[in-house]
mmCIF file of all heavy atoms in Angstrom:
data_model
loop_
_atom_site.group_PDB
_atom_site.id
_atom_site.type_symbol
_atom_site.label_atom_id
_atom_site.label_comp_id
_atom_site.label_asym_id
_atom_site.label_seq_id
_atom_site.Cartn_x
_atom_site.Cartn_y
_atom_site.Cartn_z
ATOM 1 N N THR A 137 77.767 102.436 102.721
ATOM 2 C CA THR A 137 76.804 101.849 103.619
ATOM 3 C C THR A 137 75.851 100.923 102.866
ATOM 4 O O THR A 137 75.354 101.345 101.936
ATOM 5 C CB THR A 137 76.036 102.980 104.458
ATOM 6 O OG1 THR A 137 76.967 103.687 105.172
ATOM 7 C CG2 THR A 137 75.065 102.235 105.453
ATOM 8 N N GLY A 139 72.406 98.934 102.534
ATOM 9 C CA GLY A 139 71.005 99.066 102.846
ATOM 10 C C GLY A 139 70.342 97.829 103.515
ATOM 11 O O GLY A 139 69.124 97.862 103.867
ATOM 12 N N GLU A 192 75.245 92.616 98.895
ATOM 13 C CA GLU A 192 74.837 93.613 97.940
ATOM 14 C C GLU A 192 75.090 93.217 96.558
ATOM 15 O O GLU A 192 74.359 93.432 95.538
ATOM 16 C CB GLU A 192 75.306 95.047 98.294
ATOM 17 C CG GLU A 192 74.852 95.635 99.590
ATOM 18 C CD GLU A 192 73.476 96.161 99.499
ATOM 19 O OE1 GLU A 192 72.716 95.671 98.621
ATOM 20 O OE2 GLU A 192 73.153 97.075 100.249
ATOM 21 N N ARG A 195 72.500 91.177 94.663
ATOM 22 C CA ARG A 195 71.180 91.901 94.327
ATOM 23 C C ARG A 195 71.447 92.342 92.888
ATOM 24 O O ARG A 195 71.543 93.574 92.642
ATOM 25 C CB ARG A 195 70.809 92.882 95.319
ATOM 26 C CG ARG A 195 70.694 92.370 96.697
ATOM 27 C CD ARG A 195 70.543 93.499 97.679
ATOM 28 N NE ARG A 195 69.319 94.332 97.437
ATOM 29 C CZ ARG A 195 69.091 95.565 98.089
ATOM 30 N NH1 ARG A 195 70.010 96.007 98.870
ATOM 31 N NH2 ARG A 195 68.067 96.136 97.727
ATOM 32 N N THR A 197 69.360 92.344 90.105
ATOM 33 C CA THR A 197 68.296 92.808 89.169
ATOM 34 C C THR A 197 68.605 94.375 89.155
ATOM 35 O O THR A 197 69.009 95.006 89.951
ATOM 36 C CB THR A 197 67.006 92.406 89.831
ATOM 37 O OG1 THR A 197 66.867 92.952 91.100
ATOM 38 C CG2 THR A 197 66.802 90.966 89.871
ATOM 39 N N LEU A 198 67.990 94.820 87.955
ATOM 40 C CA LEU A 198 68.100 96.264 87.645
ATOM 41 C C LEU A 198 66.990 96.988 88.438
ATOM 42 O O LEU A 198 65.929 96.528 88.524
ATOM 43 C CB LEU A 198 67.980 96.529 86.186
ATOM 44 C CG LEU A 198 69.151 96.034 85.269
ATOM 45 C CD1 LEU A 198 68.721 95.959 83.940
ATOM 46 C CD2 LEU A 198 70.332 96.985 85.466
ATOM 47 N N THR A 199 67.385 98.226 88.849
ATOM 48 C CA THR A 199 66.387 99.122 89.631
ATOM 49 C C THR A 199 66.476 100.509 88.938
ATOM 50 O O THR A 199 67.642 100.880 88.516
ATOM 51 C CB THR A 199 66.711 99.131 91.055
ATOM 52 O OG1 THR A 199 65.636 99.798 91.742
ATOM 53 C CG2 THR A 199 67.967 99.828 91.433
ATOM 54 N N PRO A 200 65.455 101.288 88.953
ATOM 55 C CA PRO A 200 65.546 102.594 88.369
ATOM 56 C C PRO A 200 66.532 103.504 89.028
ATOM 57 O O PRO A 200 66.575 103.503 90.296
ATOM 58 C CB PRO A 200 64.083 103.172 88.559
ATOM 59 C CG PRO A 200 63.255 101.864 88.615
ATOM 60 C CD PRO A 200 64.057 100.973 89.288
ATOM 61 N N LEU A 201 67.312 104.219 88.228
ATOM 62 C CA LEU A 201 68.350 105.045 88.931
ATOM 63 C C LEU A 201 67.728 106.357 89.445
ATOM 64 O O LEU A 201 68.223 106.944 90.440
ATOM 65 C CB LEU A 201 69.395 105.304 87.806
ATOM 66 C CG LEU A 201 70.514 106.300 88.184
ATOM 67 C CD1 LEU A 201 71.327 105.657 89.309
ATOM 68 C CD2 LEU A 201 71.453 106.500 87.051
ATOM 69 N N ASN A 202 66.639 106.926 88.772
ATOM 70 C CA ASN A 202 66.021 108.076 89.259
ATOM 71 C C ASN A 202 64.610 107.648 89.878
ATOM 72 O O ASN A 202 64.127 106.593 89.671
ATOM 73 C CB ASN A 202 65.810 108.990 88.079
ATOM 74 C CG ASN A 202 67.116 109.389 87.398
ATOM 75 O OD1 ASN A 202 68.066 109.656 88.033
ATOM 76 N ND2 ASN A 202 67.175 109.252 86.023
ATOM 77 N N ASN A 203 64.091 108.655 90.504
ATOM 78 C CA ASN A 203 62.785 108.489 91.145
ATOM 79 C C ASN A 203 61.642 108.595 90.209
ATOM 80 O O ASN A 203 60.436 108.329 90.584
ATOM 81 C CB ASN A 203 62.513 109.482 92.257
ATOM 82 C CG ASN A 203 63.485 109.240 93.470
ATOM 83 O OD1 ASN A 203 63.822 108.078 93.658
ATOM 84 N ND2 ASN A 203 64.025 110.276 94.135
ATOM 85 N N PRO A 212 66.762 104.883 82.678
ATOM 86 C CA PRO A 212 68.127 104.393 83.040
ATOM 87 C C PRO A 212 68.000 103.459 84.365
ATOM 88 O O PRO A 212 67.414 103.959 85.326
ATOM 89 C CB PRO A 212 68.980 105.599 83.296
ATOM 90 C CG PRO A 212 68.001 106.670 83.564
ATOM 91 C CD PRO A 212 66.717 106.376 82.808
ATOM 92 N N MET A 213 68.562 102.372 84.311
ATOM 93 C CA MET A 213 68.469 101.437 85.421
ATOM 94 C C MET A 213 69.897 100.838 85.728
ATOM 95 O O MET A 213 70.680 100.706 84.792
ATOM 96 C CB MET A 213 67.497 100.329 85.195
ATOM 97 C CG MET A 213 66.035 100.722 84.780
ATOM 98 S SD MET A 213 64.977 99.324 84.454
ATOM 99 C CE MET A 213 64.588 98.834 86.116
ATOM 100 N N VAL A 214 70.122 100.628 87.005
ATOM 101 C CA VAL A 214 71.407 100.044 87.452
ATOM 102 C C VAL A 214 71.246 98.855 88.420
ATOM 103 O O VAL A 214 70.136 98.664 88.964
ATOM 104 C CB VAL A 214 72.273 101.166 88.075
ATOM 105 C CG1 VAL A 214 72.653 102.269 87.088
ATOM 106 C CG2 VAL A 214 71.587 101.737 89.299
ATOM 107 N N GLU A 215 72.311 98.214 88.726
ATOM 108 C CA GLU A 215 72.245 96.978 89.568
ATOM 109 C C GLU A 215 71.792 97.468 90.915
ATOM 110 O O GLU A 215 72.401 98.423 91.604
ATOM 111 C CB GLU A 215 73.658 96.378 89.587
ATOM 112 C CG GLU A 215 73.570 94.867 90.047
ATOM 113 C CD GLU A 215 74.168 94.771 91.416
ATOM 114 O OE1 GLU A 215 74.146 95.642 92.269
ATOM 115 O OE2 GLU A 215 74.563 93.535 91.712
ATOM 116 N N SER A 216 70.960 96.741 91.521
ATOM 117 C CA SER A 216 70.320 97.178 92.726
ATOM 118 C C SER A 216 71.188 97.338 94.014
ATOM 119 O O SER A 216 71.232 98.250 94.655
ATOM 120 C CB SER A 216 69.186 96.148 93.235
ATOM 121 O OG SER A 216 68.158 96.049 92.258
ATOM 122 N N GLY A 217 72.110 96.235 94.087
ATOM 123 C CA GLY A 217 73.045 96.308 95.148
ATOM 124 C C GLY A 217 74.108 97.398 95.087
ATOM 125 O O GLY A 217 74.482 98.014 96.121
ATOM 126 N N PHE A 218 74.565 97.743 93.923
ATOM 127 C CA PHE A 218 75.588 98.829 93.711
ATOM 128 C C PHE A 218 74.881 100.143 94.022
ATOM 129 O O PHE A 218 75.475 100.978 94.799
ATOM 130 C CB PHE A 218 75.993 98.822 92.254
ATOM 131 C CG PHE A 218 76.763 97.664 91.754
ATOM 132 C CD1 PHE A 218 76.794 97.271 90.426
ATOM 133 C CD2 PHE A 218 77.407 96.712 92.704
ATOM 134 C CE1 PHE A 218 77.430 96.147 90.039
ATOM 135 C CE2 PHE A 218 78.071 95.676 92.276
ATOM 136 C CZ PHE A 218 78.080 95.329 90.952
ATOM 137 N N LEU A 219 73.601 100.352 93.627
ATOM 138 C CA LEU A 219 73.003 101.606 93.954
ATOM 139 C C LEU A 219 72.695 101.647 95.441
ATOM 140 O O LEU A 219 72.895 102.818 96.102
ATOM 141 C CB LEU A 219 71.615 101.674 93.162
ATOM 142 C CG LEU A 219 70.848 103.010 93.305
ATOM 143 C CD1 LEU A 219 71.674 104.188 92.741
ATOM 144 C CD2 LEU A 219 69.524 102.850 92.699
ATOM 145 N N SER A 220 72.375 100.626 96.130
ATOM 146 C CA SER A 220 72.280 100.566 97.588
ATOM 147 C C SER A 220 73.538 100.972 98.242
ATOM 148 O O SER A 220 73.480 101.878 99.168
ATOM 149 C CB SER A 220 71.768 99.206 98.022
ATOM 150 O OG SER A 220 71.735 99.135 99.376
ATOM 151 N N LEU A 221 74.736 100.556 97.919
ATOM 152 C CA LEU A 221 75.926 100.907 98.514
ATOM 153 C C LEU A 221 76.340 102.299 98.219
ATOM 154 O O LEU A 221 76.919 102.969 99.065
ATOM 155 C CB LEU A 221 76.931 99.979 98.075
ATOM 156 C CG LEU A 221 77.046 98.507 98.569
ATOM 157 C CD1 LEU A 221 78.002 97.654 97.907
ATOM 158 C CD2 LEU A 221 77.275 98.598 100.134
ATOM 159 N N TYR A 222 75.810 102.833 97.162
ATOM 160 C CA TYR A 222 76.106 104.322 96.775
ATOM 161 C C TYR A 222 75.326 105.309 97.533
ATOM 162 O O TYR A 222 75.660 106.324 97.947
ATOM 163 C CB TYR A 222 76.081 104.499 95.236
ATOM 164 C CG TYR A 222 76.605 105.772 94.903
ATOM 165 C CD1 TYR A 222 77.921 106.222 95.060
ATOM 166 C CD2 TYR A 222 75.705 106.732 94.283
ATOM 167 C CE1 TYR A 222 78.392 107.425 94.666
ATOM 168 C CE2 TYR A 222 76.190 107.999 93.922
ATOM 169 C CZ TYR A 222 77.545 108.338 94.108
ATOM 170 O OH TYR A 222 77.931 109.660 93.722
ATOM 171 N N THR A 223 73.932 104.953 97.701
ATOM 172 C CA THR A 223 73.014 105.848 98.145
ATOM 173 C C THR A 223 72.603 105.708 99.563
ATOM 174 O O THR A 223 71.889 106.537 100.178
ATOM 175 C CB THR A 223 71.744 105.944 97.320
ATOM 176 O OG1 THR A 223 71.187 104.619 97.304
ATOM 177 C CG2 THR A 223 72.199 106.362 95.854
ATOM 178 N N SER A 224 72.826 104.594 100.272
ATOM 179 C CA SER A 224 72.342 104.312 101.657
ATOM 180 C C SER A 224 73.027 105.087 102.630
ATOM 181 O O SER A 224 74.291 105.244 102.578
ATOM 182 C CB SER A 224 72.445 102.808 101.880
ATOM 183 O OG SER A 224 71.488 102.035 101.036
ATOM 184 N N ALA A 225 72.439 105.408 103.736
ATOM 185 C CA ALA A 225 72.947 106.135 104.932
ATOM 186 C C ALA A 225 72.433 105.397 106.200
ATOM 187 O O ALA A 225 71.459 104.634 106.087
ATOM 188 C CB ALA A 225 72.713 107.534 104.929
ATOM 189 N N SER A 231 75.760 108.853 103.263
ATOM 190 C CA SER A 231 75.897 107.871 102.179
ATOM 191 C C SER A 231 77.219 108.281 101.425
ATOM 192 O O SER A 231 77.762 109.384 101.525
ATOM 193 C CB SER A 231 74.774 108.006 101.174
ATOM 194 O OG SER A 231 74.725 109.299 100.612
ATOM 195 N N LEU A 232 77.702 107.318 100.633
ATOM 196 C CA LEU A 232 78.837 107.527 99.812
ATOM 197 C C LEU A 232 78.663 108.630 98.805
ATOM 198 O O LEU A 232 79.354 109.518 98.498
ATOM 199 C CB LEU A 232 79.227 106.245 99.049
ATOM 200 C CG LEU A 232 80.344 106.311 98.018
ATOM 201 C CD1 LEU A 232 81.729 106.830 98.706
ATOM 202 C CD2 LEU A 232 80.558 104.973 97.372
ATOM 203 N N GLN A 233 77.374 108.652 98.351
ATOM 204 C CA GLN A 233 76.838 109.694 97.391
ATOM 205 C C GLN A 233 77.030 111.156 98.066
ATOM 206 O O GLN A 233 77.500 112.024 97.369
ATOM 207 C CB GLN A 233 75.407 109.522 97.041
ATOM 208 C CG GLN A 233 74.796 110.621 96.118
ATOM 209 C CD GLN A 233 73.381 110.282 95.754
ATOM 210 O OE1 GLN A 233 72.533 110.211 96.700
ATOM 211 N NE2 GLN A 233 73.064 110.034 94.538
ATOM 212 N N LEU A 261 84.009 95.872 92.716
ATOM 213 C CA LEU A 261 83.044 96.632 93.176
ATOM 214 C C LEU A 261 83.320 98.215 93.156
ATOM 215 O O LEU A 261 82.470 98.960 92.794
ATOM 216 C CB LEU A 261 82.753 96.251 94.686
ATOM 217 C CG LEU A 261 81.776 97.207 95.517
ATOM 218 C CD1 LEU A 261 80.338 97.080 94.858
ATOM 219 C CD2 LEU A 261 81.780 96.741 96.934
ATOM 220 N N ALA A 264 82.516 99.573 89.771
ATOM 221 C CA ALA A 264 81.071 99.876 89.554
ATOM 222 C C ALA A 264 80.676 101.105 90.285
ATOM 223 O O ALA A 264 79.947 101.913 89.675
ATOM 224 C CB ALA A 264 80.265 98.645 90.179
ATOM 225 N N LEU A 265 81.043 101.242 91.521
ATOM 226 C CA LEU A 265 80.702 102.478 92.332
ATOM 227 C C LEU A 265 81.415 103.711 91.599
ATOM 228 O O LEU A 265 80.786 104.769 91.725
ATOM 229 C CB LEU A 265 81.128 102.360 93.811
ATOM 230 C CG LEU A 265 80.506 101.310 94.485
ATOM 231 C CD1 LEU A 265 81.118 101.196 95.937
ATOM 232 C CD2 LEU A 265 78.979 101.487 94.668
ATOM 233 N N LEU A 268 79.037 104.835 88.914
ATOM 234 C CA LEU A 268 77.900 105.541 89.500
ATOM 235 C C LEU A 268 78.167 106.935 89.994
ATOM 236 O O LEU A 268 77.422 107.834 89.783
ATOM 237 C CB LEU A 268 77.280 104.752 90.626
ATOM 238 C CG LEU A 268 76.593 103.376 90.289
ATOM 239 C CD1 LEU A 268 76.128 102.648 91.556
ATOM 240 C CD2 LEU A 268 75.307 103.677 89.464
ATOM 241 N N TYR A 271 78.570 109.334 87.031
ATOM 242 C CA TYR A 271 77.328 109.780 86.518
ATOM 243 C C TYR A 271 76.635 110.768 87.464
ATOM 244 O O TYR A 271 76.111 111.754 86.981
ATOM 245 C CB TYR A 271 76.337 108.556 86.419
ATOM 246 C CG TYR A 271 74.944 108.889 86.116
ATOM 247 C CD1 TYR A 271 74.476 108.952 84.829
ATOM 248 C CD2 TYR A 271 73.959 109.032 87.137
ATOM 249 C CE1 TYR A 271 73.170 109.286 84.566
ATOM 250 C CE2 TYR A 271 72.726 109.418 86.892
ATOM 251 C CZ TYR A 271 72.277 109.485 85.544
ATOM 252 O OH TYR A 271 70.861 109.788 85.328
ATOM 253 N N VAL A 293 77.098 97.502 85.038
ATOM 254 C CA VAL A 293 76.563 98.294 86.121
ATOM 255 C C VAL A 293 75.099 98.607 85.745
ATOM 256 O O VAL A 293 74.276 98.655 86.630
ATOM 257 C CB VAL A 293 77.318 99.710 86.134
ATOM 258 C CG1 VAL A 293 76.697 100.693 87.084
ATOM 259 C CG2 VAL A 293 78.849 99.414 86.575
ATOM 260 N N PHE A 298 71.149 103.561 80.653
ATOM 261 C CA PHE A 298 72.224 104.188 81.546
ATOM 262 C C PHE A 298 73.489 104.498 80.784
ATOM 263 O O PHE A 298 74.123 105.572 81.019
ATOM 264 C CB PHE A 298 72.585 103.149 82.630
ATOM 265 C CG PHE A 298 73.644 103.594 83.548
ATOM 266 C CD1 PHE A 298 73.466 104.743 84.407
ATOM 267 C CD2 PHE A 298 74.822 102.878 83.623
ATOM 268 C CE1 PHE A 298 74.546 105.140 85.240
ATOM 269 C CE2 PHE A 298 75.871 103.319 84.481
ATOM 270 C CZ PHE A 298 75.770 104.414 85.242
#
Side-chain angles (χ1 to χ4, degrees):
T137 300
E192 293 284 24
R195 299 170 62 189
T197 55
L198 290 163
T199 190
L201 182 58
N202 305 312
N203 295 326
M213 304 180 77
V214 296
E215 202 252 25
S216 302
F218 299 155
L219 186 62
S220 173
L221 285 168
Y222 187 66
T223 59
S224 295
S231 67
L232 177 58
Q233 180 183 58
L261 169 63
L265 295 176
L268 287 177
Y271 171 88
V293 178
F298 176 66

